[in-house]
Amino acid sequence: MSFLSVRATGQGSVVQCVWIYERAVDLDGLRRFHRNLGFGLLGRRIERSPLPFAPHRWVSYRASSDIDIDDGARSRSELSAWADERGQIAVDPESGPSWHLGVAHFTDGSTAISLVASHLVVDGLGFCLAIADAVTGNTPDLGYPPPRSRTRLRAVLQDAYQTARGTPEVARALVTAAQMGRRRRSDIARVRVSRPIAVERGNGNEALIAPAITIYIDLDDWDARAKALGGTSNSLFVGFAAKLAERSGCRAAGDGTVAISFPVSDRTKDDTRANALSFVLLSVDPAQATTDLRDIRGAIGHALQTLRATPEELLQLLSLAPLTPKRVMRRLADVAYGYTDVGCSSIGDINPAAGRPDGTDSDHVFIRGVRQRFTRQSFDRPRGIFTVSGRIGGQIFITVVAYQLDGKDSKRDLRELAAHTLSEFDLTGAID
């Protein structure tokens, strides 16, 4: 479904990991890491069926472009802009490469490494697992066939048979879709409302980059503050994001609450799904977040219990994806992901190996989601703030990408908002 929604909207979504070393890196170790990334979850791409109504399949894809090492050295102040540039270099989960690795050197002697992968190949947690595997030399063969290994006739016969076997599941999905459509009419109406997005100036078809920053906070300070407010690391993260949304003006609810989408991973051992996620929706009052996190903590717990009892209904529609027209798929993507003010994706504790792309510990690391081919014309709806957090190397990082800032549209504006919001929680951190 994600693949078809990207084809329908023309937008691409990627996950990006950036490592920062306050020194030079071991290029031999980095090349070893680069080779190992061609296995496991990143060593694959999507092959379309010759039948328009049949599901696609995974095929192996070990190849990637060589490591892209910048010539010369940049000013350290350009690191954030360089990461943005790398996040916009295209990946193609169908024809490849579905990921790429780049390196930049800076005049103060530091080095940055960027890995970008298609979100259609891997989600945030899977990304971290693939990185850790590549660092430690674990190169699993998932058994995918080579690209174009079937004749057209064989592919047609196999996919037609598989589609016929899935007919009862399609029928059940149609019933679910009709029921969900009736329940979510208000969501559909909401995403129809258009508001301008505050992004960098340009014409309607020009590719735009939304402002993005990264916040680094000492992990002990973060956990102590969460405990003092009666919460957990996740509830403090949600509270911080809600307060940031309140300060930035991207609240759609008339009662002062902030609508938050909170992805929950159900990835298991040896799980090969690209996106092993469900989403819970929270309504958070940011007014209390800085003094008491118990309500937010309770709301998260209740939402998780509900999710366990009633699995995400959108997952029940997967069998309909190949049959869905592009126009309907665009609307479904809006309803699925487009009607919350804030996205909060918590990766949690990350394997320390994921912070060692050249075999040694990096000084800083962050992960974020990036939307590619983002234009004013193709996305004219409010998109709010998208945040990702992870715990690694004695720090928690929080990445913030803002698609609607109530008229403010620069990294400087976003940094000021983040610093002010941190101070409201009696926290300090480095903001890049």
Side-chain angles (χ1 to χ4, degrees), residues 9 23 58 143 154 192 324 334 379 390 396 419:
T9 62
R23 51 182 166 79
W58 292 114
R154 184 182 180 191
R192 284 176 177 165
T324 306
D334 280 337
F379 262 64
I396 182 169

Side-chain angles (χ1 to χ4, degrees), residues 86-92 97 100 372-373:
R86 296 297 307 180
Q88 293 301 314
I89 297 176
V91 293
D92 191 332
H100 56 70
Q372 296 185 335
R373 299 182 297 280

Side-chain angles (χ1 to χ4, degrees), residues 184 234 260-267 273 276-282 298-316 339 344:
R184 293 198 172 188
N234 277 343
I260 292 180
S261 173
F262 191 83
V264 178
S265 176
D266 57 359
R267 187 172 292 279
R273 288 175 294 170
L277 297 170
S278 296
F279 290 82
V280 298
L281 303 180
L282 307 172
I300 294 174
H302 177 74
L304 292 176
Q305 288 180 350
T306 301
L307 180 64
R308 284 191 288 268
T310 309
E312 169 61 58
E313 59 187 357
L314 286 170
L315 299 180
Q316 302 173 45
Y339 60 88
C344 283

Side-chain angles (χ1 to χ4, degrees), residues 66-359:
D66 291 337
I67 301 175
D68 185 4
I69 302 177
D70 268 13
D71 294 329
R74 302 183 181 217
S75 166
R76 179 61 181 261
S77 63
E78 297 180 59
L79 193 155
S80 180
W82 175 81
D84 291 343
E85 292 170 12
R86 296 297 307 180
Q88 293 301 314
I89 297 176
V91 293
D92 191 332
E94 186 176 359
S95 60
S98 57
W99 56 274
H100 56 70
L101 189 69
V103 178
H105 301 289
F106 299 93
T107 53
D108 65 350
S110 61
T111 310
I113 304 167
S114 167
L115 174 64
V116 171
S118 170
H119 217 316
L120 301 183
V121 172
V122 71
D123 59 20
L125 180 56
F127 194 45
C128 292
L129 295 174
I131 290 168
D133 278 346
V135 168
T136 58
N138 182 24
T139 54
D141 183 351
L142 300 182
Y144 296 124
R148 297 179 296 278
S149 58
R150 302 183 296 178
T151 65
R152 181 174 177 82
L153 177 60
R154 184 182 180 191
V156 167
L157 293 175
Q158 287 181 341
D159 293 353
Y161 175 71
Q162 183 180 353
T163 301
R165 289 188 62 188
T167 300
E169 184 179 352
V170 170
R172 289 191 295 270
L174 285 170
V175 174
T176 299
Q179 295 171 342
M180 187 179 75
R182 287 192 293 269
R183 286 197 303 272
R184 293 198 172 188
R185 279 175 184 164
S186 60
D187 299 332
I188 294 172
R190 178 170 176 174
V191 299
R192 284 176 177 165
V193 178
S194 176
R195 268 194 304 174
I197 297 180
V199 291
E200 295 175 3
R201 304 294 185 264
N203 62 48
N205 293 313
E206 183 183 356
L208 302 170
I209 300 177
I213 62 169
T214 303
I215 308 164
Y216 303 100
I217 304 168
D218 181 85
L219 200 51
D220 289 338
D221 292 345
W222 177 266
D223 287 342
R225 194 63 192 139
K227 183 178 180 180
L229 296 176
T232 61
S233 182
N234 277 343
S235 57
L236 179 54
F237 173 45
V238 170
F240 173 81
K243 199 67 179 177
L244 188 64
E246 178 188 44
R247 292 301 181 196
S248 67
C250 59
R251 288 183 302 171
D255 60 359
T257 61
V258 174
I260 292 180
S261 173
F262 191 83
V264 178
S265 176
D266 57 359
R267 187 172 292 279
T268 58
K269 184 180 179 182
D270 300 324
D271 197 327
T272 60
R273 288 175 294 170
N275 288 273
L277 297 170
S278 296
F279 290 82
V280 298
L281 303 180
L282 307 172
S283 180
V284 174
D285 181 2
Q288 299 181 8
T290 58
T291 57
D292 191 341
L293 292 172
R294 286 176 296 179
D295 285 349
I296 296 176
R297 182 178 184 176
I300 294 174
H302 177 74
L304 292 176
Q305 288 180 350
T306 301
L307 180 64
R308 284 191 288 268
T310 309
E312 169 61 58
E313 59 187 357
L314 286 170
L315 299 180
Q316 302 173 45
L317 307 185
L318 289 177
S319 59
L320 294 180
L323 309 176
T324 306
K326 286 186 178 182
R327 178 179 58 83
V328 177
M329 187 59 71
R330 282 194 294 267
R331 181 62 50 81
L332 182 59
D334 280 337
V335 173
Y337 311 115
Y339 60 88
T340 55
D341 305 314
V342 179
C344 283
S345 181
S346 172
I347 301 174
D349 291 307
I350 299 173
N351 186 335
R356 304 166 186 152
D358 76 340

